[in-house]
Amino acid sequence: MTDRNVIFFDIDGTLLTEDKELPSSTKEAIFNLKKAGHEVAIATGRAPFMFADLRKELDIHTYVSYNGQYVVLNGEVIYTNALNLSSLGRLTEAALENDHPVVYMDHEDMKANVPEHSYITESINSLKVGHFPTHNPDYYKDRAMYQTLLFCPEGEEKQYEREFKDFDFVRWHPVSVDVLPAGGSKAIGIEKIVKKLGFPKERQYAFGDGLNDREMLTTIYHSVAMGNASDEIKSVAKHVTKSVEQDGIYHGLKMIGLL
């Protein structure tokens, strides 16, 4: 089929509503895309184990997770980019001194360096993913970590940004930031997939709403920001659809001619 396209969807605020529900119109739209022969993929900041149920429900086997650090094509891992472990050890020490807990994340699980903390409870519970980190301060020492969560109030991540240049810090919650390898992004993960699949840029689409979608929406030829995205994110996308609660995926796909 010569007119096949590849479409990447962010999860939170794009496929899922604020209440973490999948609109029926979105599910129907995804299956119609697949029926038409298009390649449908996910591009998220989430860990793979945090959206396994969604992948199963939508029958999607290609995804960019951890904002580009762990990439899977048709069920096979094709690219990984892990955090520098020695820098992660130093970050942990600095965070402990400031009473800022951290959660280490690989492709299978996540573990906290403290038994409990209100910041961890507040932010992880907001995701409504049914996963909560247990305590293992040594978890990062003998395996690849693709992301770490640093828990601190807004603005307090600046001290870490100054000191740890091989990490990027991306805030996703009032008391939590993602810690990623410097320069890593969804756009890089997507590039690994489209290169393998051989889709030209004119046949690449992406939908997103958050700050971690900026690079993806800037680089993908047909980019669509959700109506619930900030003005900053809307300004970098080629198109803006309705909000996720207003059947934004369905309307966006109709608007760009894929449905």
Side-chain angles (χ1 to χ4, degrees):
M1 177 174 182
T2 53
D3 55 353
R4 286 181 71 235
N5 300 284
V6 59
I7 307 100
F8 292 88
F9 294 97
D10 167 54
I11 294 179
D12 300 287
T14 300
L15 287 177
L16 299 184
T17 66
E18 198 174 324
D19 293 327
K20 307 306 173 191
E21 291 173 353
L22 178 71
S24 56
S25 65
T26 298
K27 186 173 181 177
E28 185 181 344
I30 297 291
F31 278 101
N32 283 339
L33 286 176
K34 289 160 69 69
K35 201 183 293 182
H38 300 301
E39 183 80 33
V40 179
I42 284 172
T44 181
R46 289 192 185 202
F49 56 84
M50 283 184 167
F51 62 104
D53 290 349
L54 182 64
R55 295 199 304 274
K56 190 175 179 184
E57 184 174 358
L58 295 177
D59 193 28
I60 292 175
H61 310 283
T62 294
Y63 59 89
V64 172
S65 62
Y66 284 135
N67 289 317
Q69 317 318 310
Y70 192 86
V71 180
V72 171
L73 173 60
N74 295 321
E76 180 191 344
V77 180
I78 62 165
Y79 174 75
T80 61
N81 184 29
L83 293 161
N84 180 295
L85 290 188
S86 124
S87 294
L88 185 53
R90 290 191 297 108
L91 174 72
T92 297
E93 289 170 16
L96 276 170
E97 288 175 14
N98 296 318
D99 188 30
H100 292 159
V102 296
V103 166
Y104 310 110
M105 308 177 80
D106 64 3
H107 61 294
E108 294 177 323
D109 208 350
M110 58 180 172
K111 301 289 183 182
N113 72 328
V114 295
E116 58 182 353
H117 197 287
S118 61
Y119 289 171
I120 298 179
T121 305
E122 180 188 339
S123 54
I124 299 291
N125 283 349
S126 75
L127 292 172
K128 301 179 182 176
V129 291
H131 289 273
F132 199 82
T134 51
H135 180 221
N136 182 350
D138 297 325
Y139 191 65
Y140 74 96
K141 291 180 178 176
D142 59 353
R143 68 197 83 211
M145 294 290 131
Y146 303 107
Q147 180 171 283
T148 289
L149 302 178
L150 170 67
F151 298 85
C152 63
E154 289 188 53
E156 292 188 21
E157 70 274 18
K158 300 295 180 194
Q159 57 188 306
Y160 302 102
E161 289 174 359
R162 287 192 294 269
E163 188 178 345
F164 298 95
K165 297 299 185 186
D166 48 356
F167 295 153
D168 282 342
F169 297 84
V170 183
R171 184 161 291 280
W172 64 274
H173 187 275
V175 295
S176 187
V177 293
D178 292 335
V179 182
L180 297 161
S185 71
K186 290 184 183 182
I188 290 173
I190 286 172
E191 190 184 336
K192 305 296 178 185
I193 289 174
V194 296
K195 203 171 177 184
K196 286 259 188 187
L197 293 176
F199 282 96
K201 65 177 185 178
E202 297 81 9
R203 300 211 166 274
Q204 299 172 24
Y205 294 77
F207 285 71
D209 74 299
L211 288 175
N212 63 340
D213 295 318
R214 172 187 273 283
E215 291 87 355
M216 172 176 84
L217 296 178
T218 306
T219 56
I220 293 292
Y221 193 78
H222 301 283
S223 57
V224 184
M226 302 301 290
N228 44 277
S230 67
D231 289 343
E232 180 186 348
I233 294 305
K234 287 175 181 173
S235 72
V236 301
K238 286 241 175 71
H239 308 276
V240 178
T241 182
K242 296 183 179 182
S243 74
V244 56
E245 279 87 1
Q246 296 173 303
D247 304 318
I249 294 295
Y250 171 78
H251 284 287
L253 290 167
K254 288 279 279 188
M255 179 176 65
I256 57 181
L258 288 182
L259 285 182

